[in-house]
Amino acid sequence: MDTIASLFSFITWPVSWVIVQFHKVYGAIFGPDTGWAWGLSIVSLVILIRICLIPLFVKQIKATRAMQTLQPEMKKIQERYKNDKQRQSEEMMKLYKETGTNPLSSCLPILAQSPFFFALYHVLNGIATGKTIGVIDDQLLASARKAHIFGAPLAAKFMDSSDKVAALGASLTDVRVVTAVMIVLMSFSQFYTQRQLMTKNVDTTVKTPFMQQQKMLMYVFPVMFAVFGINFPVGVLVYWLTTNVWTMGQQMYVIHNNPTPGSKAQAAYLERLYKHVTHHGKTRNRREKAIVKAIVVKGRDRNEFERKFINGLNKAGLAAQTDGSVVKSEAAVAAQSEDGTTTTATAGTTPRRQQPKRQTKAQRQSGGPKAAGAGEAGAGDAEPETPSTSLSKSDEPQDAPPAAAGKSAPKSGNGNRSKAQSGQRSKAQSGQRKGPQRPKSPSKK
């Protein structure tokens, strides 16, 4: 560790200068030789570094999400060129270039703060050995060696001997208890941050090897921190615990306000957004407009939670627009279907005329409303129904002239006419054409 720290000795001067400046501020409040003054100086150094790394953290989030999106394509390339590693690497690089992603972008915050970490380790190791380093002179060195955090000196380690700890003015028990508690808190914060990322902010609809790797790292990193932590000075443990807590809070903020699409965090966020939009009747700020705009633009590519959000707005009488705003449906009734299509109908427009329902063959043959209407339209002054001659035998003579058809018939003929009509209807139901039938000429004997 000392060899690695010496490689970053060029940055020890700026790190020590920042610590001394913060020490002047906190020393005026708590006293220059107290552990609060030196401990808070280290905490402030962490906060300053992490604020400077926020742009890299945003880039890390975008790179991580882009890698999650590319996992299915990467898996296809691996399966297609599993016997040709060189072609597989070329296709991977081509995919990264086309999508503009960089696998190393997700490691940028860790790589960027590693020089500051080793520089701080180098400064604290110099305090432990009694050597001046950077802007820390003999007076500041003596003040730092007197500083204790809960009874443990800043430069003490868990594996130090009792003689070395006694030289720093502390007991071995105090040092080991404090360092053990800080190592446990450091490992737990790292585990919780990674678990929070895996359980809440990962797209559950896509199962990729990337998720398995993240799950493995969730258990590997805390063990690594515990193993290396026993060789870290108390001041470095303060630094690393502070940066883990900062990362955990930063991750919680991102999950709460900008979750990964398709994750459980997005479902919770859209549920909260739905309540706010339906309560106020509009999107309240640019961030909410950006979220709604991204969902509307997706169209058919919306996931389950996004479709539920859009359908909920429609049921509440609201319509999401392409610019991210939400309007009430009194002015324009917008019906957005689940597949992303949008149909707009202005209030007060004339409804489309409906076509009459088509009748069945049996209804047409039995003289339903449609047939009766047609007969009335084309009959003119004629009678609505013309009787047809029955083929059954009758008591009346069959050689009556056709001209007598218009005259009134005797009562016995009325019965025959009703029988003829019923016979005609029965034949119409069995397959004859609808409407009045032309009477057949009487047969001559």
Side-chain angles (χ1 to χ4, degrees):
M1 183 66 71
D2 294 337
T3 304
I4 299 176
S6 62
L7 296 176
F8 297 94
S9 59
F10 65 92
I11 204 173
T12 55
W13 193 92
V15 168
S16 62
W17 184 85
V18 172
I19 292 177
V20 169
Q21 300 308 311
F22 281 120
H23 176 261
K24 290 179 180 179
V25 176
Y26 295 117
I29 301 173
F30 302 102
D33 299 337
T34 59
W36 287 103
W38 287 98
L40 290 176
S41 299
I42 297 174
V43 172
S44 299
L45 172 67
V46 175
I47 295 174
L48 179 62
I49 293 173
R50 294 307 300 265
I51 290 175
C52 295
L53 294 179
I54 286 178
L56 292 180
F57 179 75
V58 174
K59 194 172 183 179
Q60 178 193 21
I61 294 175
K62 293 181 179 179
T64 303
R65 292 184 180 179
M67 291 297 295
Q68 290 176 352
T69 306
L70 291 179
Q71 286 301 313
E73 299 295 330
M74 294 171 61
K75 190 175 181 179
K76 292 179 181 179
I77 293 176
Q78 291 174 353
E79 292 177 355
R80 185 180 304 173
Y81 304 105
K82 59 182 178 180
N83 296 327
D84 191 351
K85 298 298 181 181
Q86 182 178 358
R87 182 66 183 277
Q88 185 181 121
S89 301
E90 292 176 355
E91 293 295 328
M92 288 287 190
M93 296 303 296
K94 183 179 178 181
L95 180 63
Y96 294 150
K97 186 176 181 179
E98 290 176 352
T99 56
T101 56
N102 187 358
L104 297 179
S105 297
S106 59
C107 303
L108 285 177
I110 297 177
L111 295 176
Q113 68 176 332
S114 58
F116 299 96
F117 169 78
F118 288 112
L120 177 64
Y121 180 88
H122 195 48
V123 170
L124 294 175
N125 188 55
I127 294 174
T129 56
K131 296 179 180 179
T132 59
I133 186 170
V135 298
I136 298 179
D137 53 13
D138 294 331
Q139 184 180 358
L140 292 173
L141 179 62
S143 176
R145 290 176 66 88
K146 294 178 183 178
H148 292 68
I149 297 178
F150 300 109
L154 289 177
K157 304 176 186 176
F158 183 86
M159 299 301 293
D160 285 345
S161 61
S162 57
D163 296 337
K164 189 173 182 179
V165 172
L168 295 173
S171 65
L172 184 61
T173 303
D174 293 340
V175 171
R176 291 191 174 179
V177 169
V178 172
T179 53
V181 171
M182 296 182 72
I183 290 171
V184 170
L185 292 176
M186 185 177 62
S187 301
F188 175 76
S189 59
Q190 178 68 32
F191 174 79
Y192 182 79
T193 301
Q194 194 69 18
R195 179 176 174 80
Q196 181 180 234
L197 179 66
M198 291 298 301
T199 57
K200 295 183 179 181
N201 206 37
V202 172
D203 188 357
T204 57
T205 60
V206 181
K207 303 295 182 182
T208 60
F210 180 76
M211 294 177 60
Q212 298 297 327
Q213 295 174 4
Q214 293 294 321
K215 189 175 181 180
M216 181 181 65
L217 294 176
M218 180 175 65
Y219 297 98
V220 171
F221 275 156
V223 174
M224 291 176 59
F225 276 108
V227 171
F228 291 115
I230 60 177
N231 293 314
F232 288 163
V234 173
V236 174
L237 292 178
V238 171
Y239 174 92
W240 207 249
L241 178 60
T242 305
T243 193
N244 280 359
V245 173
W246 177 279
T247 303
M248 183 173 61
Q250 194 170 243
Q251 186 73 47
M252 291 176 65
Y253 176 82
V254 171
I255 291 175
H256 187 270
N257 295 285
N258 191 17
T260 301
S263 62
K264 294 180 180 179
Q266 189 197 29
Y269 176 79
L270 291 180
E271 185 176 355
R272 295 192 305 270
L273 181 60
Y274 169 76
K275 293 180 180 179
H276 294 162
V277 171
T278 53
H279 178 71
H280 297 279
K282 61 181 181 179
T283 49
R284 299 174 299 173
N285 49 49
R286 290 185 298 177
R287 181 170 55 83
E288 290 184 354
K289 285 186 178 181
I291 295 294
V292 175
K293 180 180 178 181
I295 294 175
V296 173
V297 170
K298 281 186 177 181
R300 298 177 181 271
D301 296 331
R302 297 171 191 156
N303 56 45
E304 177 185 357
F305 309 127
E306 294 166 347
R307 289 195 297 267
K308 184 178 178 181
F309 173 74
I310 293 295
N311 293 335
L313 291 180
N314 294 333
K315 292 179 181 178
L318 300 172
Q321 306 299 309
T322 55
D323 61 350
S325 61
V326 175
V327 298
K328 293 184 179 180
S329 58
E330 284 80 9
V333 181
Q336 294 189 358
S337 60
E338 293 185 1
D339 58 357
T341 58
T342 304
T343 57
T344 304
T346 306
T349 55
T350 305
R352 182 181 294 179
R353 183 179 178 183
Q354 295 183 355
Q355 297 293 334
K357 187 177 181 181
R358 187 175 181 181
Q359 295 182 342
T360 62
K361 185 177 180 181
Q363 290 176 342
R364 294 195 301 269
Q365 292 175 351
S366 62
K370 186 176 180 180
E376 291 177 359
D381 297 334
E383 294 181 0
E385 186 175 2
T386 304
S388 59
T389 306
S390 175
L391 297 179
S392 61
K393 291 185 178 181
S394 175
D395 295 337
E396 297 294 327
Q398 298 294 328
D399 55 353
K407 298 181 180 180
S408 61
K411 293 183 180 180
S412 59
N414 293 336
N416 292 335
R417 287 181 63 184
S418 62
K419 290 181 181 180
Q421 292 175 4
S422 61
Q424 179 186 353
R425 290 194 183 111
S426 63
K427 287 188 176 183
Q429 293 178 357
S430 61
Q432 287 187 356
R433 294 178 59 187
K434 65 178 181 177
Q437 300 292 329
R438 184 176 180 181
K440 296 182 180 180
S441 60
S443 60
K444 297 182 180 181
K445 293 183 182 181

